[in-house]
Each structure stands twice: as C-alpha cells, then as structure tokens.
Amino acid sequence: MKSLEQVGKYFELLVRVFSKPERHSIYVRQVFNEIDNLGVNSVGIVTVISIFMGGIMTLQVAYNLQNPLLPIYLIGLGTRDTLILEFSSTILALIMAGKIGSNITSEIGSMKVTEQIDSLEIMGVNSASYLILPKIIAVVLMFPVLYIISVFFGLIGGLIVGPAVGAVTATDYLNGIQYLFNSYYVTYSLIKCLVFGFLISSISAFFGYTVEGGAFDVGTASTRAVVNTNIMILVWDLILTQLLF
Amino acid sequence: MIEVRNIYKSFENKDVLKNISKVFNEGETNLIIGRSGSGKTVLLKSIVGLHEVDQGQILYDGRDFTKMNPKLRKKLRQEMGMVFQGGALFDSLTVEENVRFPLDMFSEMSGVEKQKQVDFCLERVNIRDANKLYPSEISGGMQKRVAIARAIVLNPKYLFCDEPNSGLDPETSLVIDKLVRSITVDLKITTIINTHDMNSVMEIGDNILFISDGEMCWEGNRKEILHSTNQKLQEFVFANKQYQRIRDDKIKE
C-alpha cells in the first residue's frame, strides 16, 4: 500500500516538474550547468570503467572461445556486441545510478532539510520544476553521449588488453569488431539510454525531494534512490528488450 | 495587514493549532512567541501556505489565501519575503547571486537596475565586501542578514521571520532585531516574527501573540507583557531570574 502511495506521489511530482517554467532563460542556464555537473563530470569515470571492462570482456570471451573450430575474430565481435547491447547501456546505467543518482538525491535532499526548497516556494518559484526539470533534461541528453563514449573506450580497452596478453592479435580483434555489425543494436541501446537517463534523474530527484528529517535521512534516501533506480532500470531493460526485438 | 481567523491544523490526528485568530498590523513588528513545540512554526508556515490549514481563513489585506488557486497564490507569494531559521541561502550561489535570484526570476529590470537593487539591499543590511563569497564562507549572522536582503529585494508587502536570532550571539541578535524593525517601519510592511528570544520580545514586540499547546494564550505588546497576570505567559517570559528583576524594576518605574 505504501509503495502504491509512493508511485502516486512520484507521478504527482512529475506533473509539477513538467509544468510551465517561470523564466525560460534561467532554466536553459540551469540545463547547461547540470550538463556540466552531471554529464561532463561523469566522462572520466565512464572512460576508466569502460577501458577496464572492455579489456576484461575481451579476456573472458577469449578464454571461453578456446576452440580451434571457432574463428579468433569472434573475440572482437563478442566484446563489441556485449558493449553495445548491455554493458554500455544497462550496466553503465546501474553504475551511473550510483554516481549521478546519489548526487541528485543528496543535493535536493540537503536543500529540502535546510529549508532551501521552502524558500523557493515562498518566492513563488515552482521548486520541483526549477530543481528537477534541468536535471532530467541534462541526464537524458547526456546519457546517450556517455553510452557512445563507453562503447568507444570499451573497444579501446579490448584492443589494449587482448593483444597485450596474447589472447588475440590486434588485426583479428579489429576484424572482429567490424564483422557482422548491426546498426540497429546501437539504435536499440540509444533508446534504452534515453529511458534509463529519465529513470535515474527522476527517481533520484523524487527521493531527494520527499526526504524529511536531517542529514541521516538524506543518506537513507540516497541509498533507497539507488536501489529503486537499479530495480527500475532492470525492469525497463526487460520490457524494452521484449518490445524492441 | 494579515488576519488569521479561527485557524485549526492537525497532523496525524494530533491537534497542533486550535482556533487561532489574530490581526497582524502593517508597519509593526508582530511577534509570535511560545515554548518549543507550542505550534508557532506551524502557525507561521500555515500563514505563508507551506502547510494547508484544516479550517479557518488567512486574509492578506482582505484577500483570502486559503481560497486562492495555485496561480493566485504564486502571484501573492511574490509579495512575500521570508527569513528562515537557518537562513536557507542557496549553497551553490554567491551572496550577490542569492539576493539577485528573486529579481532574475520575477522582475523585468535590466541587468544594471538589478545590480543597483542588489547593492541597495546588501547595503541596507550592512553587508559589504562579501558579494562574491558563498554562504559557507560567511558567519551565521551575515547569513541571516543576506537572507533578509534576499527577502526584501522584491520590495515585499509581507515579511516573515522564523526565529531569526537562533544560534546568534546577543549582540548580533540585537542588530538583526533592529534591522528587521527599521525595515518594517521604513517600508511600511507587515512583519511577523516567530521567536522565543526574550530580548527580541522586550526590544521590538509591538504586537505579540503568545501561544501555548497550539492555543492562543495571550496577546498584547511589550509594555503590557510586564503587567500581565497570565500565569503561563509569566512562567514563559520570566522563567529567567534576570528577566524577573527587569520586570520588577520596570514596574517600580
């Protein structure tokens, strides 16, 4: 019953978030600030994670394809498709729910418990829209960009690690990542990224905006936000995979 | 002028405000006093609409706030300024940006005019050379003064202060009290201050409402408080021996 109430409040908040902004120019400025804060600041961690995961994936695929009947270039193909289909969209979304999501929850939650949100309301500002809408737009816009960066650096990671440990030659790996490329896989993943970006930003914002109490409660809300976002990402991954294939 | 009529408010079946009625006058410092947990913050937040009242009316110069639709409320809120207990300045903005924020949101002024107004308000609260600092870089007293500057930047008709002196030393508290009073008188606005600071009561209490357990217990001004026979009020205001001595001296005079 309480969960249903939460869902109702979430949609109620979304209605407020998507109502007409007071001053468009300020919202546009906020969107650019959030793109920098939530998106550009995540490029570093996405790059590092993707290089390592690309390398690890190449090794895993190589160890599982140790069969003389299977062509060696399949290592590159396996790495590429894993990155494009699941890692750089879903797994990255789960990681970003921790980084971006907890950032959003703690920022908005802290504003709530220090009465900054009340202060906006008293001024006549729609605090839900002012604080949350730019974050949603920024994350939805930036997540596909992070996805592309992740795929690129994941493939680079494989190219570095595979030949370095002798699992695959650079030529075979490069042949593999170009073999039987299906561009729809990218389209499918980009659609997922848009949905995941929305889920990460809106669910995290909801938990921050509805926090009551003090610093301890903000911490609890951040944890709950990450857990709930992760569950919703996996649920929607399942739904979208069924719908789009 | 703000008038509250027969206000009731409860949370989860617990009555927090019971039949509160009071007129808060223009150009006077109206004080709501009471013990912690007596309901004064709920009353203030109900007056500004952060809590919805269960029953009763809140009239802003005759305009019934409780019956207004969200659009009208939003418009009326642009006539309000509020200073929160902790200042509630936006952490990510500098002092100047905090004060400028309501202007950016709602005024049609040019950049130069906005800057003039920001400088005027900061000057009014005696803040100098701190424009580019962030709230975390200034003292609690300065934060309160910046919050006052932000509250008055749109020339509000109504000013609300929730325990503006909490956490401040007596000297700074006096500065804040005098500042709020002079703004109230100069700008002829209706100011409501929530406080349990007895120095404020004695210094600026033009019109005082004492509430206890969510009920109106006494009303009057700082002079009348000395002669009041209300037992609860006497126990609250003169709990401190020093205040008892001051009261006795004043009565003798």
Side-chain angles (χ1 to χ4, degrees), chain B residues 55-96:
Chain B
Q55 265 185 65
Q57 286 179 302
I58 299 160
L59 303 166
Y60 283 82
D61 290 309
R63 296 170 289 176
D64 191 346
F65 189 67
T66 51
K67 289 202 175 91
M68 281 181 186
N69 61 33
K71 209 176 169 185
L72 286 174
R73 278 191 175 199
K74 212 168 162 179
K75 211 161 185 194
L76 179 63
R77 279 189 167 146
Q78 286 163 37
E79 297 175 19
M80 299 180 191
M82 183 154 179
V83 181
F84 286 86
Q85 201 170 339
L89 297 176
F90 305 128
D91 305 323
S92 56
L93 304 181
T94 62
V95 163
E96 189 177 279

mmCIF file of all heavy atoms in Angstrom, chain B residues 55-96:
data_model
loop_
_atom_site.group_PDB
_atom_site.id
_atom_site.type_symbol
_atom_site.label_atom_id
_atom_site.label_comp_id
_atom_site.label_asym_id
_atom_site.label_seq_id
_atom_site.Cartn_x
_atom_site.Cartn_y
_atom_site.Cartn_z
ATOM 1 N N GLN B 55 -8.956 24.196 8.882
ATOM 2 C CA GLN B 55 -10.120 25.093 8.960
ATOM 3 C C GLN B 55 -9.637 26.516 9.143
ATOM 4 O O GLN B 55 -8.536 26.727 9.645
ATOM 5 C CB GLN B 55 -10.932 24.751 10.216
ATOM 6 C CG GLN B 55 -12.095 23.810 10.014
ATOM 7 C CD GLN B 55 -12.872 23.686 11.327
ATOM 8 O OE1 GLN B 55 -13.453 24.652 11.785
ATOM 9 N NE2 GLN B 55 -12.847 22.511 11.925
ATOM 10 N N GLY B 56 -10.478 27.462 8.812
ATOM 11 C CA GLY B 56 -10.149 28.861 9.077
ATOM 12 C C GLY B 56 -9.750 29.627 7.832
ATOM 13 O O GLY B 56 -9.677 29.069 6.738
ATOM 14 N N GLN B 57 -9.514 30.901 8.034
ATOM 15 C CA GLN B 57 -9.188 31.789 6.915
ATOM 16 C C GLN B 57 -7.890 32.542 7.201
ATOM 17 O O GLN B 57 -7.590 32.865 8.355
ATOM 18 C CB GLN B 57 -10.288 32.830 6.729
ATOM 19 C CG GLN B 57 -11.563 32.295 6.108
ATOM 20 C CD GLN B 57 -12.587 33.410 5.997
ATOM 21 O OE1 GLN B 57 -12.955 34.022 7.002
ATOM 22 N NE2 GLN B 57 -13.025 33.682 4.783
ATOM 23 N N ILE B 58 -7.148 32.825 6.133
ATOM 24 C CA ILE B 58 -5.951 33.670 6.250
ATOM 25 C C ILE B 58 -6.127 34.792 5.231
ATOM 26 O O ILE B 58 -6.216 34.525 4.021
ATOM 27 C CB ILE B 58 -4.666 32.857 5.953
ATOM 28 C CG1 ILE B 58 -4.533 31.718 6.969
ATOM 29 C CG2 ILE B 58 -3.440 33.754 5.999
ATOM 30 C CD1 ILE B 58 -3.628 30.609 6.521
ATOM 31 N N LEU B 59 -6.234 36.009 5.732
ATOM 32 C CA LEU B 59 -6.531 37.133 4.830
ATOM 33 C C LEU B 59 -5.324 38.062 4.712
ATOM 34 O O LEU B 59 -4.804 38.551 5.728
ATOM 35 C CB LEU B 59 -7.730 37.916 5.358
ATOM 36 C CG LEU B 59 -9.013 37.103 5.569
ATOM 37 C CD1 LEU B 59 -10.006 37.889 6.403
ATOM 38 C CD2 LEU B 59 -9.631 36.729 4.236
ATOM 39 N N TYR B 60 -4.891 38.267 3.483
ATOM 40 C CA TYR B 60 -3.811 39.218 3.205
ATOM 41 C C TYR B 60 -4.465 40.477 2.650
ATOM 42 O O TYR B 60 -4.919 40.483 1.500
ATOM 43 C CB TYR B 60 -2.841 38.649 2.164
ATOM 44 C CG TYR B 60 -1.881 37.618 2.723
ATOM 45 C CD1 TYR B 60 -2.265 36.293 2.897
ATOM 46 C CD2 TYR B 60 -0.583 37.975 3.076
ATOM 47 C CE1 TYR B 60 -1.392 35.362 3.415
ATOM 48 C CE2 TYR B 60 0.299 37.041 3.592
ATOM 49 C CZ TYR B 60 -0.113 35.742 3.758
ATOM 50 O OH TYR B 60 0.770 34.821 4.269
ATOM 51 N N ASP B 61 -4.552 41.501 3.466
ATOM 52 C CA ASP B 61 -5.264 42.731 3.084
ATOM 53 C C ASP B 61 -6.626 42.389 2.472
ATOM 54 O O ASP B 61 -6.982 42.871 1.391
ATOM 55 C CB ASP B 61 -4.413 43.560 2.100
ATOM 56 C CG ASP B 61 -3.202 44.159 2.791
ATOM 57 O OD1 ASP B 61 -3.365 44.788 3.843
ATOM 58 O OD2 ASP B 61 -2.071 43.953 2.295
ATOM 59 N N GLY B 62 -7.330 41.515 3.136
ATOM 60 C CA GLY B 62 -8.677 41.145 2.702
ATOM 61 C C GLY B 62 -8.737 40.014 1.692
ATOM 62 O O GLY B 62 -9.820 39.484 1.414
ATOM 63 N N ARG B 63 -7.590 39.619 1.130
ATOM 64 C CA ARG B 63 -7.591 38.545 0.120
ATOM 65 C C ARG B 63 -7.439 37.198 0.826
ATOM 66 O O ARG B 63 -6.450 36.974 1.519
ATOM 67 C CB ARG B 63 -6.438 38.741 -0.876
ATOM 68 C CG ARG B 63 -6.567 40.018 -1.703
ATOM 69 C CD ARG B 63 -5.311 40.299 -2.487
ATOM 70 N NE ARG B 63 -4.210 40.712 -1.623
ATOM 71 C CZ ARG B 63 -2.974 40.946 -2.051
ATOM 72 N NH1 ARG B 63 -2.680 40.798 -3.323
ATOM 73 N NH2 ARG B 63 -2.033 41.327 -1.208
ATOM 74 N N ASP B 64 -8.421 36.326 0.622
ATOM 75 C CA ASP B 64 -8.431 35.045 1.346
ATOM 76 C C ASP B 64 -7.442 34.061 0.703
ATOM 77 O O ASP B 64 -7.705 33.490 -0.352
ATOM 78 C CB ASP B 64 -9.847 34.467 1.347
ATOM 79 C CG ASP B 64 -9.965 33.300 2.311
ATOM 80 O OD1 ASP B 64 -8.915 32.785 2.749
ATOM 81 O OD2 ASP B 64 -11.109 32.913 2.626
ATOM 82 N N PHE B 65 -6.333 33.857 1.376
ATOM 83 C CA PHE B 65 -5.264 32.985 0.866
ATOM 84 C C PHE B 65 -5.711 31.527 0.781
ATOM 85 O O PHE B 65 -5.321 30.798 -0.130
ATOM 86 C CB PHE B 65 -4.048 33.114 1.795
ATOM 87 C CG PHE B 65 -2.806 32.439 1.289
ATOM 88 C CD1 PHE B 65 -2.150 32.901 0.158
ATOM 89 C CD2 PHE B 65 -2.287 31.339 1.949
ATOM 90 C CE1 PHE B 65 -0.992 32.283 -0.298
ATOM 91 C CE2 PHE B 65 -1.130 30.712 1.494
ATOM 92 C CZ PHE B 65 -0.483 31.187 0.370
ATOM 93 N N THR B 66 -6.563 31.121 1.750
ATOM 94 C CA THR B 66 -6.974 29.712 1.794
ATOM 95 C C THR B 66 -7.865 29.337 0.606
ATOM 96 O O THR B 66 -7.966 28.166 0.258
ATOM 97 C CB THR B 66 -7.735 29.401 3.103
ATOM 98 O OG1 THR B 66 -8.761 30.378 3.266
ATOM 99 C CG2 THR B 66 -6.815 29.432 4.300
ATOM 100 N N LYS B 67 -8.506 30.342 0.010
ATOM 101 C CA LYS B 67 -9.419 30.023 -1.104
ATOM 102 C C LYS B 67 -8.776 30.287 -2.467
ATOM 103 O O LYS B 67 -9.414 30.111 -3.498
ATOM 104 C CB LYS B 67 -10.698 30.860 -0.965
ATOM 105 C CG LYS B 67 -11.577 30.411 0.194
ATOM 106 C CD LYS B 67 -13.020 30.862 -0.003
ATOM 107 C CE LYS B 67 -13.909 30.321 1.091
ATOM 108 N NZ LYS B 67 -14.029 31.208 2.251
ATOM 109 N N MET B 68 -7.527 30.719 -2.459
ATOM 110 C CA MET B 68 -6.882 31.066 -3.746
ATOM 111 C C MET B 68 -6.444 29.819 -4.491
ATOM 112 O O MET B 68 -6.021 28.844 -3.881
ATOM 113 C CB MET B 68 -5.630 31.912 -3.483
ATOM 114 C CG MET B 68 -5.937 33.339 -3.195
ATOM 115 S SD MET B 68 -4.391 34.227 -2.928
ATOM 116 C CE MET B 68 -5.034 35.800 -2.426
ATOM 117 N N ASN B 69 -6.513 29.891 -5.841
ATOM 118 C CA ASN B 69 -5.981 28.782 -6.642
ATOM 119 C C ASN B 69 -4.448 28.925 -6.708
ATOM 120 O O ASN B 69 -3.902 29.981 -6.357
ATOM 121 C CB ASN B 69 -6.622 28.764 -8.035
ATOM 122 C CG ASN B 69 -6.341 30.025 -8.819
ATOM 123 O OD1 ASN B 69 -5.273 30.612 -8.673
ATOM 124 N ND2 ASN B 69 -7.293 30.451 -9.626
ATOM 125 N N PRO B 70 -3.748 27.863 -7.123
ATOM 126 C CA PRO B 70 -2.273 27.900 -7.118
ATOM 127 C C PRO B 70 -1.688 29.108 -7.871
ATOM 128 O O PRO B 70 -0.670 29.666 -7.454
ATOM 129 C CB PRO B 70 -1.884 26.594 -7.798
ATOM 130 C CG PRO B 70 -3.027 25.680 -7.546
ATOM 131 C CD PRO B 70 -4.243 26.552 -7.535
ATOM 132 N N LYS B 71 -2.348 29.509 -8.944
ATOM 133 C CA LYS B 71 -1.828 30.620 -9.752
ATOM 134 C C LYS B 71 -1.851 31.935 -8.954
ATOM 135 O O LYS B 71 -0.872 32.693 -8.945
ATOM 136 C CB LYS B 71 -2.683 30.750 -11.022
ATOM 137 C CG LYS B 71 -1.932 31.310 -12.204
ATOM 138 C CD LYS B 71 -2.809 31.307 -13.427
ATOM 139 C CE LYS B 71 -2.132 32.119 -14.512
ATOM 140 N NZ LYS B 71 -3.007 32.243 -15.684
ATOM 141 N N LEU B 72 -2.981 32.159 -8.286
ATOM 142 C CA LEU B 72 -3.110 33.388 -7.486
ATOM 143 C C LEU B 72 -2.172 33.370 -6.283
ATOM 144 O O LEU B 72 -1.583 34.378 -5.916
ATOM 145 C CB LEU B 72 -4.561 33.568 -7.013
ATOM 146 C CG LEU B 72 -5.559 34.016 -8.075
ATOM 147 C CD1 LEU B 72 -6.966 34.001 -7.509
ATOM 148 C CD2 LEU B 72 -5.211 35.425 -8.583
ATOM 149 N N ARG B 73 -2.040 32.180 -5.697
ATOM 150 C CA ARG B 73 -1.127 32.041 -4.558
ATOM 151 C C ARG B 73 0.305 32.386 -4.973
ATOM 152 O O ARG B 73 1.032 33.056 -4.256
ATOM 153 C CB ARG B 73 -1.136 30.605 -4.041
ATOM 154 C CG ARG B 73 -2.280 30.320 -3.140
ATOM 155 C CD ARG B 73 -2.080 28.985 -2.472
ATOM 156 N NE ARG B 73 -3.146 28.782 -1.516
ATOM 157 C CZ ARG B 73 -3.094 27.914 -0.526
ATOM 158 N NH1 ARG B 73 -2.036 27.162 -0.371
ATOM 159 N NH2 ARG B 73 -4.086 27.780 0.310
ATOM 160 N N LYS B 74 0.673 31.879 -6.150
ATOM 161 C CA LYS B 74 2.017 32.115 -6.668
ATOM 162 C C LYS B 74 2.265 33.619 -6.825
ATOM 163 O O LYS B 74 3.331 34.128 -6.505
ATOM 164 C CB LYS B 74 2.130 31.418 -8.028
ATOM 165 C CG LYS B 74 3.496 30.912 -8.333
ATOM 166 C CD LYS B 74 3.423 29.999 -9.528
ATOM 167 C CE LYS B 74 4.789 29.847 -10.098
ATOM 168 N NZ LYS B 74 4.795 28.969 -11.243
ATOM 169 N N LYS B 75 1.245 34.294 -7.316
ATOM 170 C CA LYS B 75 1.343 35.736 -7.523
ATOM 171 C C LYS B 75 1.474 36.466 -6.179
ATOM 172 O O LYS B 75 2.294 37.372 -6.031
ATOM 173 C CB LYS B 75 0.100 36.227 -8.281
ATOM 174 C CG LYS B 75 0.400 37.414 -9.144
ATOM 175 C CD LYS B 75 -0.633 37.608 -10.195
ATOM 176 C CE LYS B 75 -0.154 38.752 -11.070
ATOM 177 N NZ LYS B 75 -1.214 39.224 -11.917
ATOM 178 N N LEU B 76 0.646 36.034 -5.226
ATOM 179 C CA LEU B 76 0.691 36.667 -3.905
ATOM 180 C C LEU B 76 2.042 36.427 -3.235
ATOM 181 O O LEU B 76 2.570 37.285 -2.524
ATOM 182 C CB LEU B 76 -0.448 36.125 -3.023
ATOM 183 C CG LEU B 76 -0.516 36.693 -1.597
ATOM 184 C CD1 LEU B 76 -0.776 38.195 -1.616
ATOM 185 C CD2 LEU B 76 -1.584 36.013 -0.766
ATOM 186 N N ARG B 77 2.600 35.255 -3.488
ATOM 187 C CA ARG B 77 3.880 34.922 -2.847
ATOM 188 C C ARG B 77 5.006 35.853 -3.292
ATOM 189 O O ARG B 77 6.007 35.983 -2.607
ATOM 190 C CB ARG B 77 4.240 33.475 -3.124
ATOM 191 C CG ARG B 77 3.497 32.548 -2.183
ATOM 192 C CD ARG B 77 3.975 31.155 -2.274
ATOM 193 N NE ARG B 77 3.454 30.381 -1.166
ATOM 194 C CZ ARG B 77 3.131 29.106 -1.237
ATOM 195 N NH1 ARG B 77 3.299 28.466 -2.367
ATOM 196 N NH2 ARG B 77 2.678 28.477 -0.188
ATOM 197 N N GLN B 78 4.812 36.466 -4.454
ATOM 198 C CA GLN B 78 5.832 37.425 -4.887
ATOM 199 C C GLN B 78 5.782 38.706 -4.059
ATOM 200 O O GLN B 78 6.656 39.553 -4.162
ATOM 201 C CB GLN B 78 5.667 37.709 -6.380
ATOM 202 C CG GLN B 78 6.143 36.534 -7.223
ATOM 203 C CD GLN B 78 5.641 36.580 -8.641
ATOM 204 O OE1 GLN B 78 5.535 37.652 -9.225
ATOM 205 N NE2 GLN B 78 5.340 35.439 -9.208
ATOM 206 N N GLU B 79 4.728 38.826 -3.245
ATOM 207 C CA GLU B 79 4.642 39.973 -2.333
ATOM 208 C C GLU B 79 5.177 39.610 -0.953
ATOM 209 O O GLU B 79 5.091 40.390 -0.014
ATOM 210 C CB GLU B 79 3.175 40.422 -2.205
ATOM 211 C CG GLU B 79 2.587 40.914 -3.512
ATOM 212 C CD GLU B 79 1.097 41.230 -3.389
ATOM 213 O OE1 GLU B 79 0.599 41.413 -2.260
ATOM 214 O OE2 GLU B 79 0.421 41.278 -4.428
ATOM 215 N N MET B 80 5.659 38.366 -0.813
ATOM 216 C CA MET B 80 6.157 37.915 0.494
ATOM 217 C C MET B 80 7.666 37.764 0.479
ATOM 218 O O MET B 80 8.261 37.473 -0.555
ATOM 219 C CB MET B 80 5.605 36.513 0.829
ATOM 220 C CG MET B 80 4.132 36.392 0.931
ATOM 221 S SD MET B 80 3.744 34.654 1.327
ATOM 222 C CE MET B 80 1.991 34.652 1.077
ATOM 223 N N GLY B 81 8.255 37.944 1.656
ATOM 224 C CA GLY B 81 9.671 37.617 1.830
ATOM 225 C C GLY B 81 9.762 36.824 3.112
ATOM 226 O O GLY B 81 9.013 37.076 4.053
ATOM 227 N N MET B 82 10.645 35.842 3.122
ATOM 228 C CA MET B 82 10.739 35.063 4.360
ATOM 229 C C MET B 82 12.195 34.779 4.723
ATOM 230 O O MET B 82 13.011 34.454 3.855
ATOM 231 C CB MET B 82 9.970 33.749 4.222
ATOM 232 C CG MET B 82 9.978 32.939 5.497
ATOM 233 S SD MET B 82 8.546 31.855 5.627
ATOM 234 C CE MET B 82 8.855 31.057 7.177
ATOM 235 N N VAL B 83 12.479 34.922 5.999
ATOM 236 C CA VAL B 83 13.806 34.607 6.524
ATOM 237 C C VAL B 83 13.653 33.340 7.359
ATOM 238 O O VAL B 83 12.907 33.337 8.339
ATOM 239 C CB VAL B 83 14.350 35.759 7.406
ATOM 240 C CG1 VAL B 83 15.736 35.425 7.932
ATOM 241 C CG2 VAL B 83 14.372 37.067 6.616
ATOM 242 N N PHE B 84 14.324 32.292 6.931
ATOM 243 C CA PHE B 84 14.192 31.017 7.633
ATOM 244 C C PHE B 84 15.193 30.936 8.785
ATOM 245 O O PHE B 84 16.205 31.636 8.811
ATOM 246 C CB PHE B 84 14.408 29.855 6.664
ATOM 247 C CG PHE B 84 13.238 29.645 5.750
ATOM 248 C CD1 PHE B 84 13.131 30.359 4.562
ATOM 249 C CD2 PHE B 84 12.227 28.768 6.085
ATOM 250 C CE1 PHE B 84 12.048 30.188 3.720
ATOM 251 C CE2 PHE B 84 11.135 28.596 5.252
ATOM 252 C CZ PHE B 84 11.042 29.301 4.073
ATOM 253 N N GLN B 85 14.893 29.985 9.683
ATOM 254 C CA GLN B 85 15.712 29.806 10.888
ATOM 255 C C GLN B 85 17.199 29.650 10.562
ATOM 256 O O GLN B 85 18.047 30.243 11.195
ATOM 257 C CB GLN B 85 15.209 28.560 11.622
ATOM 258 C CG GLN B 85 15.585 28.524 13.066
ATOM 259 C CD GLN B 85 14.862 27.392 13.798
ATOM 260 O OE1 GLN B 85 13.839 26.900 13.356
ATOM 261 N NE2 GLN B 85 15.411 27.002 14.912
ATOM 262 N N GLY B 86 17.491 28.838 9.540
ATOM 263 C CA GLY B 86 18.898 28.598 9.193
ATOM 264 C C GLY B 86 19.379 29.507 8.066
ATOM 265 O O GLY B 86 20.452 29.284 7.519
ATOM 266 N N GLY B 87 18.587 30.479 7.673
ATOM 267 C CA GLY B 87 18.954 31.364 6.580
ATOM 268 C C GLY B 87 18.429 30.865 5.247
ATOM 269 O O GLY B 87 17.893 31.613 4.458
ATOM 270 N N ALA B 88 18.591 29.539 5.014
ATOM 271 C CA ALA B 88 18.134 28.888 3.770
ATOM 272 C C ALA B 88 18.662 29.578 2.521
ATOM 273 O O ALA B 88 17.961 29.684 1.511
ATOM 274 C CB ALA B 88 16.601 28.783 3.741
ATOM 275 N N LEU B 89 19.909 30.035 2.588
ATOM 276 C CA LEU B 89 20.521 30.598 1.377
ATOM 277 C C LEU B 89 20.903 29.439 0.458
ATOM 278 O O LEU B 89 21.187 28.343 0.936
ATOM 279 C CB LEU B 89 21.774 31.401 1.741
ATOM 280 C CG LEU B 89 21.555 32.625 2.627
ATOM 281 C CD1 LEU B 89 22.890 33.266 2.989
ATOM 282 C CD2 LEU B 89 20.670 33.650 1.922
ATOM 283 N N PHE B 90 20.928 29.707 -0.843
ATOM 284 C CA PHE B 90 21.282 28.639 -1.785
ATOM 285 C C PHE B 90 22.800 28.450 -1.758
ATOM 286 O O PHE B 90 23.553 29.364 -2.115
ATOM 287 C CB PHE B 90 20.787 28.971 -3.186
ATOM 288 C CG PHE B 90 19.301 29.258 -3.222
ATOM 289 C CD1 PHE B 90 18.803 30.413 -3.801
ATOM 290 C CD2 PHE B 90 18.402 28.373 -2.647
ATOM 291 C CE1 PHE B 90 17.443 30.680 -3.809
ATOM 292 C CE2 PHE B 90 17.036 28.633 -2.645
ATOM 293 C CZ PHE B 90 16.561 29.784 -3.223
ATOM 294 N N ASP B 91 23.220 27.250 -1.367
ATOM 295 C CA ASP B 91 24.653 26.960 -1.197
ATOM 296 C C ASP B 91 25.479 27.184 -2.456
ATOM 297 O O ASP B 91 26.645 27.556 -2.383
ATOM 298 C CB ASP B 91 24.861 25.471 -0.836
ATOM 299 C CG ASP B 91 24.069 25.066 0.375
ATOM 300 O OD1 ASP B 91 23.970 25.886 1.283
ATOM 301 O OD2 ASP B 91 23.558 23.926 0.396
ATOM 302 N N SER B 92 24.848 26.912 -3.598
ATOM 303 C CA SER B 92 25.620 26.937 -4.848
ATOM 304 C C SER B 92 25.741 28.343 -5.434
ATOM 305 O O SER B 92 26.402 28.540 -6.448
ATOM 306 C CB SER B 92 24.962 26.017 -5.872
ATOM 307 O OG SER B 92 23.616 26.416 -6.056
ATOM 308 N N LEU B 93 25.076 29.311 -4.803
ATOM 309 C CA LEU B 93 25.127 30.689 -5.315
ATOM 310 C C LEU B 93 25.897 31.585 -4.347
ATOM 311 O O LEU B 93 25.883 31.357 -3.139
ATOM 312 C CB LEU B 93 23.711 31.251 -5.492
ATOM 313 C CG LEU B 93 22.737 30.476 -6.382
ATOM 314 C CD1 LEU B 93 21.402 31.210 -6.462
ATOM 315 C CD2 LEU B 93 23.292 30.298 -7.786
ATOM 316 N N THR B 94 26.531 32.614 -4.895
ATOM 317 C CA THR B 94 27.238 33.574 -4.044
ATOM 318 C C THR B 94 26.213 34.467 -3.333
ATOM 319 O O THR B 94 25.023 34.425 -3.657
ATOM 320 C CB THR B 94 28.171 34.479 -4.871
ATOM 321 O OG1 THR B 94 27.357 35.215 -5.781
ATOM 322 C CG2 THR B 94 29.216 33.683 -5.631
ATOM 323 N N VAL B 95 26.710 35.265 -2.396
ATOM 324 C CA VAL B 95 25.846 36.205 -1.662
ATOM 325 C C VAL B 95 25.047 37.058 -2.655
ATOM 326 O O VAL B 95 23.821 37.178 -2.568
ATOM 327 C CB VAL B 95 26.726 37.100 -0.751
ATOM 328 C CG1 VAL B 95 25.976 38.341 -0.293
ATOM 329 C CG2 VAL B 95 27.229 36.290 0.450
ATOM 330 N N GLU B 96 25.759 37.633 -3.603
ATOM 331 C CA GLU B 96 25.128 38.524 -4.583
ATOM 332 C C GLU B 96 24.086 37.772 -5.421
ATOM 333 O O GLU B 96 22.980 38.265 -5.647
ATOM 334 C CB GLU B 96 26.228 39.080 -5.488
ATOM 335 C CG GLU B 96 25.784 40.173 -6.403
ATOM 336 C CD GLU B 96 26.971 40.702 -7.186
ATOM 337 O OE1 GLU B 96 27.712 41.518 -6.641
ATOM 338 O OE2 GLU B 96 27.142 40.267 -8.343
#
